[in-house]
Amino acid sequence: MAKTIKIRAKNRGGITTVKSLISHPMETGFRKNKKTGETIPAHFIQEVVCKHNGKVVLNCEWGASISKNPYLAFKFKGGKKGDSIELSWKDNKGESDSIVTKIR
Amino acid sequence: MKHDQKRRVFLKGSVAASTVGLAVGAGLLTPGVVLAAWNKNAFQAKAIDKAIAAAAGNPTTTPSEKITIKAPDIAENGAVVPVSIKADMDGVDTIALLVEKNANPLSAIFHLPKGTLPDVSTRVKMGKTGDVIAVVKAGGKLYSARKGVKVTIGGCGG
């Protein structure tokens, strides 16, 4: 699959910067459908894990108040060109996705 | 006399119950450190201190100037407010991001293993004007910082 995640990892001066965009509705569960008045059920990412060569470098727990189509950026020490970076997410409905890329 | 005794028993009971409640809140019974489980208590907490307690194990934090929150002073669209948190300290384990005025203040908890820099960015929804709060856990201690963001169009509901 891996169509929901865009990711870029770059190493400069021994520090790898990972930037990523995930397309996801991030529905809070508080919103209402204006026409029908029905509450739109919550649907949001709860967990994001990023691994560098199989080792976890970031583990996030997210709530529904993260914006729609979430953006995430972070840095870690180490990593070199060609190393693998894997990012995966899981939402409250059990849906998930992951992507593997290489550090540039 | 009898009435009094009953009252005493009742009081005792309620004290015991609240101690359990506190223990849960302080993360003693629900290990918030276990990564596999999403911290439901923390994310569904409606009050700031409860959310912090559930997320970090303790509601008391020390304000620190070493934490920098980068967020706009005025957010035109509350649905997308870019926030960056940077902590200029060693041994940061977790960074929690909270939005003061949201129905559920806790937005995110970032767990940083060794080697990952305390420098994360994301975007949050803000219901109305208020503070963005960062709680950083470093060396077993909690530090916090806040930054006010003025929201002209709310991002929750509507």
Side-chain angles (χ1 to χ4, degrees):
Chain A
M1 210 167 117
K3 276 180 187 156
T4 62
I5 311 174
K6 277 185 190 166
I7 189 166
R8 185 170 286 185
K10 221 173 204 176
N11 186 292
R12 190 163 289 170
I15 288 170
T16 305
T17 306
V18 180
K19 288 181 185 172
S20 153
L21 265 175
I22 304 168
S23 41
H24 198 280
M26 296 303 281
E27 205 54 71
T28 56
F30 295 127
R31 287 204 317 154
K32 279 186 181 151
N33 183 323
K34 272 184 189 155
K35 280 178 196 151
T36 62
E38 280 170 36
T39 309
I40 304 168
H43 186 202
F44 58 95
I45 296 175
Q46 290 186 314
E47 209 182 295
V48 182
V49 180
C50 188
K51 289 178 182 170
H52 163 235
N53 281 349
K55 184 180 154 266
V56 175
V57 282
L58 183 74
N59 190 316
C60 320
E61 290 174 76
W62 280 358
S65 57
I66 295 287
S67 297
K68 183 180 173 184
N69 298 335
Y71 168 76
L72 171 71
F74 72 100
K75 294 168 182 172
F76 68 91
K77 275 183 207 157
K80 55 182 189 300
K81 243 183 180 175
D83 282 1
S84 93
I85 293 286
E86 184 191 346
L87 190 103
S88 56
W89 61 258
K90 209 162 95 191
D91 69 21
N92 65 329
K93 289 187 178 174
E95 290 168 22
S96 66
D97 199 2
S98 68
I99 195 170
V100 178
T101 187
K102 286 198 163 83
I103 297 178
R104 291 205 278 179
Chain B
M1 187 65 192
K2 209 177 173 196
H3 176 258
D4 220 40
Q5 263 176 353
K6 259 189 191 161
R7 187 168 163 264
R8 188 154 289 172
V9 169
F10 171 72
L11 279 176
K12 248 190 194 162
S14 66
V15 164
S18 68
T19 331
V20 172
L22 275 178
V24 171
L28 294 174
L29 297 180
T30 47
V33 204
V34 175
L35 299 178
W38 186 67
N39 198 333
K40 198 174 163 186
N41 285 346
F43 282 101
Q44 290 184 345
K46 290 194 163 55
I48 297 276
D49 51 346
K50 281 198 182 133
I52 294 176
N58 191 338
T60 34
T61 59
T62 318
S64 169
E65 283 174 7
K66 288 186 175 171
I67 306 168
T68 334
I69 302 177
K70 222 161 80 184
D73 293 326
I74 298 172
E76 275 185 24
N77 184 356
V80 187
V81 183
V83 179
S84 295
I85 300 170
K86 202 172 170 179
D88 189 14
M89 44 180 92
D90 292 329
V92 175
D93 296 323
T94 58
I95 297 178
L97 171 60
L98 298 102
V99 181
E100 190 188 12
K101 294 285 168 66
N102 280 359
N104 301 126
L106 185 64
S107 265
I109 310 174
F110 300 94
H111 299 273
L112 316 176
K114 228 179 175 183
T116 301
L117 303 180
D119 183 352
V120 291
S121 309
T122 187
R123 296 198 285 232
V124 296
K125 291 176 222 167
M126 288 183 75
K128 40 185 147 163
T129 299
D131 282 356
V132 172
I133 303 168
V135 175
V136 174
K137 192 175 192 177
K141 285 190 178 157
L142 293 176
Y143 303 94
S144 67
R146 35 173 80 217
K147 166 149 192 350
V149 176
K150 198 171 174 236
V151 177
T152 43
I153 307 169
C156 294

